[in-house]
């Protein structure tokens, strides 16, 4: 059997990376040409169709454990790069304490959202990415993990180190790699402290991980997964809110009207539509553990050879017109909305409940500011990480929210 190779058009990983600020025309062309396309230059399959993406993510013949990641490296010990039973045990160790913690989180997240609006209240303007989205995401995941929250400067430094870790994990080597070692040291010390002063009432995630000695017998394993949760729970939610605010502001009066009519239901639906449209983790990677014939998922012969890699563009899947009508249009009441921003299959995001809670509370806080607007003089700036990077900043203004002004 042969691969589908049509010579009239070539697509590549590098062209998709180059268009990181607006890859949509490329996704459309690629999907229409061949939704499971073999890029000969990178020897990678580029998957852009919704059904192909979900089928591959749910198929155990495609692994998350890439064969070039050294078993010793801290990166390879993250559950996201494991499969089978060793993966399931780690995910279970996360799910139980996370579910407990999430139930207790709403009040704390409401407080973080109000703190995030402080600059806007003081000055009438704020950077919605750094002042608001990053603050809620950082404080929420630090709280869930049981990291001390009193030293804000230290948390901001940990955030920078964790950005470097997130970049490196997503294959974008940028910044000072020593930051990863610094973050590792921080978690090593925090684990030591928690072991030295055990608190039988503690229900944070890190205490849960420490107690699960059979799941994390080695500290490297434990630390690696803490670093992963800290990055995975922060970078994604920050990007969702930071990029999502721009989408919301373009439709502000419509959204405000819907919010007045039914606040609870609309923030839920808005959250799902923003997850679909922003898709914070643009792309996932898998590797075939055996030859797999995918010809049934796309027209033409598609034989994936053992060892070959596939890039699954969740963002392209979320804009697949075969699964979402008028996908480029923001529809605050889209139904059904089976967006795949949290992935699919055994690795589907275990933090989805917490993320949805943060998004909903953040949206409630924003929607309470009736006259919120994008700052007319400032253009959003992109973080160049082609997979995880969202806006670095996005300024907004309000006349009424400023303390002391009349509504
Ligand atoms: C808008 C927010 C979020 C998005 C879009 C998102 C997206 C994703 C995606 C696509 C995956 C699948 C990775 C794969 O299949 O290779 C994933 C996995 C994961 N996410 Fe999230 N995530 C978000 C928030 C969170 C939060 C708040 C946490 C914190 C607990 C979290 C923790 C994790 C972990 C630990 C994994 C690995 C799961 C595994 O490999 O079994 N995520 N996330």
């Amino acid at each position: 059997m042969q691969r589908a190779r049509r010579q009239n058009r070539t697509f590549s990983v590098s062209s998709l990376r180059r268009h990181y600020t607006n890859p949509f025309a490329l996704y459309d062309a690629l999907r229409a040409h061949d939704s499971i396309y073999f890029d000969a230059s990178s020897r990678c399959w580029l998957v852009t169709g919704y059904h192909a993406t979900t089928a591959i993510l749910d198929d155990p013949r495609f692994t998350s454990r890439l064969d070039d990641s050294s078993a010793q490296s801290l990166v390879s010990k993250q559950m996201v790069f494991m499969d089978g039973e060793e993966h399931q045990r780690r995910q279970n160790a996360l799910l139980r304490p996370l579910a407990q913690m999430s139930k207790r989180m709403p009040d704390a997240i409401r407080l973080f959202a109000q703190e995030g609006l402080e600059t806007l209240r003081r000055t009438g303007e704020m950077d919605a990415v750094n002042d608001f989205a990053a603050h809620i995401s950082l404080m929420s995941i630090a709280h869930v993990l049981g990291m001390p929250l009193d030293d804000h400067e230290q948390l901001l430094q940990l955030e920078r180190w964790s950005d470097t870790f997130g970049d490196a994990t997503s294959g974008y080597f940028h910044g000072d790699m020593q930051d990863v070692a610094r973050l590792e040291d921080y978690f090593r010390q925090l684990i030591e402290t928690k072991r030295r002063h055990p608190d039988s009432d503690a229900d944070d995630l890190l205490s849960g991980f420490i107690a699960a000695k059979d799941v994390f017998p080695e500290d490297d394993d434990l630390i690696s997964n803490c670093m992963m949760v800290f990055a995975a729970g922060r970078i994604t939610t920050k990007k969702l809110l930071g990029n999502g605010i721009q989408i919301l502001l373009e439709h502000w009066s419509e959204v405000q009207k819907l919010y007045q009519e039914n606040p609870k239901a609309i923030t839920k639906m808005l959250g799902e539509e923003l997850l679909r449209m922003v898709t914070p983790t643009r792309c996932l990677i898998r590797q075939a553990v055996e030859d797999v014939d995918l010809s049934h998922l796309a027209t033409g012969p598609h034989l994936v050879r053992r060892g070959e890699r596939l890039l699954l563009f969740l963002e392209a899947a979320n804009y697949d017109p075969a699964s979402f009508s008028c996908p480029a249009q923001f529809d605050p009441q889209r139904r059904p909305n089976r967006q795949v921003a949290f992935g699919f299959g055994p690795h589907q995001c275990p933090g989805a409940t917490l993320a949805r809670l943060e998004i909903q509370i953040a949206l409630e806080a924003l929607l309470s500011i009736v006259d919120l607007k994008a700052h007319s003089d400032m253009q959003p700036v992109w973080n160049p990480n082609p997979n995880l990077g969202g806006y670095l900043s996005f300024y907004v203004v309000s006349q009424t929210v400023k303390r002391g002004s009349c509504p």
Side-chain angles (χ1 to χ4, degrees):
M1 185 167 305
Q2 285 181 342
R3 292 198 170 100
R5 280 179 212 249
R6 290 164 224 164
Q7 298 303 323
N8 55 337
R9 189 117 202 209
T10 54
F11 299 92
S12 64
V13 176
S14 46
S15 61
L16 281 161
R17 288 202 173 128
R18 266 198 315 280
H19 290 84
Y20 67 89
T21 62
N22 188 354
F24 298 102
L26 262 176
Y27 289 153
D28 286 347
L30 182 49
R31 202 189 304 100
H33 175 69
D34 184 355
S35 64
I36 308 179
Y37 174 84
F38 187 71
D39 167 24
S41 60
S42 63
R43 301 205 54 75
C44 242
W45 293 84
L46 310 179
V47 182
T48 46
Y50 182 92
H51 288 296
T53 299
T54 51
I56 292 165
L57 286 174
D58 210 20
D59 185 333
R61 294 172 297 174
F62 299 103
T63 177
S64 297
R65 187 188 280 286
L66 307 181
D67 61 12
D68 61 359
S69 62
S70 149
Q72 299 309 314
S73 87
L74 216 64
V75 167
S76 72
K77 294 183 192 300
Q78 301 174 59
M79 71 183 82
V80 74
F81 295 122
M82 294 183 170
D83 274 327
E85 214 226 325
E86 61 174 353
H87 163 254
Q88 201 51 59
R89 279 153 42 87
R90 283 166 180 78
Q91 214 198 55
N92 290 344
L94 171 74
L95 281 168
R96 264 176 264 119
L98 191 58
Q100 285 304 317
M101 246 343 238
S102 298
K103 277 193 213 139
R104 295 201 295 102
M105 283 299 286
D107 286 347
I109 301 173
R110 269 185 212 109
L111 174 71
F112 303 145
Q114 291 311 315
E115 287 171 358
L117 292 177
E118 203 36 48
T119 308
L120 184 68
R121 290 223 172 81
R122 224 182 34 248
T123 64
E125 61 180 62
M126 71 169 177
D127 174 357
V129 175
N130 289 301
D131 295 330
F132 185 72
H135 183 76
I136 297 176
S137 317
L138 170 66
M139 298 304 283
S140 301
I141 197 64
H143 190 41
V144 164
L145 270 163
M147 296 159 65
L149 301 185
D150 41 3
D151 184 345
H152 197 64
E153 280 311 308
Q154 184 190 42
L155 281 172
L156 292 177
Q157 183 164 65
L158 295 168
E159 179 186 46
R160 287 190 289 275
W161 295 344
S162 165
D163 279 342
T164 309
F165 175 80
D167 283 344
T169 302
S170 66
Y172 177 70
F173 295 93
H174 175 87
D176 181 356
M177 286 304 135
Q178 278 306 310
D179 288 352
V180 177
R182 293 181 184 117
L183 188 64
E184 183 186 336
D185 280 349
Y186 167 83
F187 277 112
R188 205 175 287 281
Q189 281 172 26
L190 185 58
I191 289 164
E192 275 307 302
T193 310
K194 285 194 185 263
R195 279 194 183 126
R196 244 182 288 124
H197 307 284
D199 171 0
S200 54
D201 293 333
D203 58 358
D204 60 77
L205 199 49
L206 185 44
S207 300
F209 278 180
I210 292 172
K213 292 194 190 78
D214 52 331
V215 182
F216 300 107
E218 293 166 23
D219 277 2
D220 278 359
D221 199 333
L222 185 62
I223 292 165
S224 169
N225 281 289
C226 290
M227 287 163 62
M228 194 228 145
V229 170
F230 186 47
R234 200 176 48 71
I235 297 171
T236 45
T237 319
K238 171 183 167 187
K239 177 171 170 185
L240 186 281
L241 292 173
N243 287 38
I245 287 170
Q246 185 196 29
I247 300 174
L248 284 182
L249 288 178
E250 282 168 4
H251 306 271
W252 199 240
S253 48
E254 178 192 1
V255 168
Q256 276 290 341
K257 189 167 169 291
L258 292 167
Y259 181 65
Q260 303 311 328
E261 285 160 11
N262 193 348
K264 271 264 164 313
I266 198 65
T267 46
K268 276 203 181 113
M269 293 176 90
L270 277 177
E272 295 307 296
E273 183 65 343
L274 293 182
L275 280 159
R276 184 187 73 81
M277 293 194 80
V278 176
T279 318
T281 305
R282 271 188 166 151
C283 168
L284 300 175
I285 187 162
R286 295 293 188 266
Q287 184 165 357
V289 292
E290 59 185 78
D291 289 359
V292 185
D293 182 3
L294 293 180
S295 305
H296 61 292
L297 293 175
T299 16
H302 293 81
L303 179 65
V304 180
R305 296 278 184 200
R306 177 166 175 249
E308 283 179 346
R309 292 186 179 178
L310 302 92
L311 292 180
L312 302 137
F313 288 88
L314 298 179
E315 187 173 45
N318 273 339
Y319 281 76
D320 183 344
S323 296
F324 301 95
S325 63
C326 305
Q329 258 174 45
F330 168 76
D331 176 357
Q333 301 189 84
R334 186 177 289 278
R335 228 183 291 199
N337 187 349
R338 297 196 186 92
Q339 52 80 16
V340 283
F342 291 119
F344 197 81
H347 288 273
Q348 185 165 354
C349 181
T353 305
L354 173 65
R356 286 188 165 110
L357 192 63
E358 289 178 45
I359 294 165
Q360 191 154 356
I361 293 173
L363 292 180
E364 281 163 16
L366 287 173
L367 283 156
S368 69
I369 308 167
V370 180
D371 69 337
L372 195 69
K373 282 200 205 62
H375 199 301
S376 53
D377 303 338
M378 300 211 198
Q379 288 303 310
V381 180
W382 274 89
N383 169 339
N385 177 333
N387 191 4
L388 301 178
Y391 291 154
L392 281 171
S393 63
F394 181 70
Y395 281 84
V396 295
V397 293
S398 158
Q399 298 295 319
T400 58
V401 79
K402 200 166 164 185
R403 217 175 265 128
S405 60
C406 301

